[in-house]
Amino acid sequence: MRSEKDIERSFKQANLDVTVGAECDRQILDELLDVQCKSASPHATWWPVPRSWALSLAAVVAVVTVIVLLVSRSRPLESKPAPSKPRIVSRIELATAISLEKAFRQGGIEAVERQCKETFGAFRADAKTPSVDELLTHLENEMKDL
Amino acid sequence: MLEDTVLIWRFKRGSREALCRIYEKYRTDLLRLAAMLLRDKGDAEDAVHDAFVSFARSAETLKLSGSLKGYLLTCVANNARNRNRARQRKQTVGLDEAAEAASPDKTPEQWIAYNEELQRWSDALAELPYEQREVVTLHLRAGMTFRRIARSQAVSVNTVKGRYRYALAKLRSTFNGELEP
């Protein structure tokens, strides 16, 4: 008499063997591969991630691109260059510019030319490089004359 | 298990080799299960064939929560259950309709051959009602838990345990040569 435990054990351990026909096996495998080919969607992704992931990735990229474009377009408006501060000019430059302008107003280009000649003539007569103070003094005198 | 994970990953990306490997790895287990659930060899072959075909089609939608083997065994069990129901319905229709309903593409050559022991157990299991046969086979041969079987049969765990007890008692009486009450 076999108990239920015996039945359980013998069914679990039984050598239940099936032999598969090779020809039929090959036909079924071919059919499966065929089914796999046909069922592959025409727009299947070549990207090695699932299509849902690819779509999510594309959406994220699109959003980021839009944000970057918006930011880059709005930046020039926000960051307009501040009005440039007046350049600090030296006393020599200032005096030169003022004297030349005055000469031009009074006598035109001829007066400017004359003033330049006198200035360079004075330097040549000294035959030495004038100091800054000398130059300023000379220009101030010129301006007084004008 | 790791191999199955890689196989599924490759299969979902359209790998033919992965599908071949899955087929070669599990066809015998599936055929054995189908042979025990369905007494008819042709039906058993068809059940496994259909399960593999639907698996091959499901590459994009497949979502596995457990093992690949468990998934395929459940597919075959569900297919076998449907075939058993269809067979019962067929017994109530006329001969002409039954001939029309028969599978048109059944190959003349048999796909599988049973050994003696499988034939003996198959005969013994054939004495059981289908639901009991399914519970015993899935639990003892496919290693499924009662909870999982209950989920696949859409019944309670207690019902499955009851079917299992009845099935064992009947098998015991069959093997001991006792008469059924």
Side-chain angles (χ1 to χ4, degrees):
Chain A
M1 293 288 282
R2 299 170 76 173
S3 68
E4 286 179 8
K5 286 283 173 198
D6 287 339
I7 300 286
E8 268 184 327
R9 193 169 47 245
S10 58
F11 188 41
K12 246 184 195 174
Q13 295 168 354
N15 177 28
L16 309 179
D17 200 16
V18 292
T19 312
V20 181
E23 179 62 23
C24 199
D25 206 28
R26 198 182 54 75
Q27 282 175 10
I28 288 167
L29 191 51
D30 287 346
E31 188 188 341
L32 288 182
L33 293 174
D34 203 35
V35 166
Q36 188 189 25
C37 268
K38 282 178 186 164
S39 65
S41 137
H43 46 84
T45 174
W46 54 269
W47 189 254
V49 293
R51 191 184 303 153
S52 56
W53 290 14
L55 287 176
S56 308
L57 191 66
V60 168
V61 168
V63 168
V64 168
T65 309
V66 167
I67 289 171
V68 167
L69 281 175
L70 286 176
V71 168
S72 65
R73 284 194 175 190
S74 61
R75 184 169 291 161
L77 297 175
E78 286 171 2
S79 59
K80 266 185 175 174
S84 59
K85 290 177 183 174
R87 191 166 65 91
I88 297 171
V89 291
S90 68
R91 284 161 58 196
I92 301 170
E93 280 180 281
L94 193 61
T96 308
I98 291 170
S99 68
L100 290 175
E101 190 184 5
K102 280 195 173 178
F104 182 73
R105 279 186 189 165
Q106 289 176 355
I109 193 70
E110 290 83 5
V112 173
E113 196 177 7
R114 202 181 320 123
Q115 187 181 341
C116 288
K117 278 181 182 171
E118 284 174 9
T119 305
F120 289 121
F123 288 142
R124 271 199 296 273
D126 289 348
K128 64 173 185 179
T129 307
S131 69
V132 173
D133 287 333
E134 283 173 344
L135 186 61
L136 276 175
T137 313
H138 179 77
L139 284 170
E140 277 168 6
N141 292 336
E142 289 287 327
M143 282 172 69
K144 279 174 193 167
D145 293 340
L146 289 170
Chain B
M1 189 67 186
L2 182 63
E3 188 200 3
D4 284 358
T5 308
V6 174
L7 283 174
I8 285 293
W9 191 86
R10 290 176 56 207
F11 166 68
K12 283 171 78 72
R13 277 148 197 81
S15 165
R16 295 165 68 90
E17 292 79 18
L19 179 61
C20 291
R21 176 76 187 116
I22 290 168
Y23 172 78
E24 283 162 5
K25 190 174 177 186
Y26 291 119
R27 67 173 171 207
T28 312
D29 287 330
L30 301 188
L31 283 166
R32 193 181 292 128
L33 174 69
M36 285 183 285
L37 292 177
L38 300 162
R39 210 175 167 199
D40 182 72
K41 270 186 192 174
D43 275 355
E45 290 171 354
D46 287 348
V48 175
H49 172 267
D50 290 356
F52 267 122
V53 167
S54 65
F55 175 73
R57 282 200 186 109
S58 69
E60 287 189 14
T61 54
L62 182 68
K63 281 180 185 169
L64 279 187
S65 55
S67 70
L68 174 60
K69 184 179 178 183
Y71 173 81
L72 290 171
L73 287 172
T74 306
C75 284
V76 170
N78 291 341
N79 203 296
R81 197 180 310 128
N82 293 339
R83 280 179 186 280
N84 187 61
R85 283 185 193 141
R87 193 194 289 165
Q88 285 173 348
R89 275 199 304 272
K90 222 184 278 181
Q91 286 170 356
T92 63
V93 300
L95 281 176
D96 293 342
E97 290 172 44
E100 280 172 19
S103 176
D105 54 353
K106 197 174 280 185
T107 51
E109 186 199 349
Q110 289 286 309
W111 186 10
I112 49 172
Y114 303 164
N115 70 346
E116 271 184 28
E117 196 159 6
L118 177 55
Q119 191 62 56
R120 193 167 62 93
W121 276 101
S122 180
D123 291 345
L125 290 167
E127 301 293 318
L128 303 176
Y130 183 82
E131 289 77 15
Q132 293 178 16
R133 196 188 320 161
E134 188 178 339
V135 170
V136 169
T137 309
L138 290 178
H139 185 62
L140 292 178
R141 293 299 303 195
M144 283 192 195
T145 61
F146 288 132
R147 187 182 297 275
R148 185 161 179 190
I149 297 169
R151 209 164 45 227
S152 77
Q153 291 185 343
V155 292
S156 72
V157 177
N158 285 336
T159 305
V160 169
K161 285 179 179 172
R163 285 174 180 173
Y164 182 73
R165 277 197 305 275
Y166 282 123
L168 277 186
K170 200 167 285 183
L171 281 174
R172 177 172 171 261
S173 65
T174 302
F175 280 109
N176 288 334
E178 291 174 5
L179 290 173
E180 288 294 309

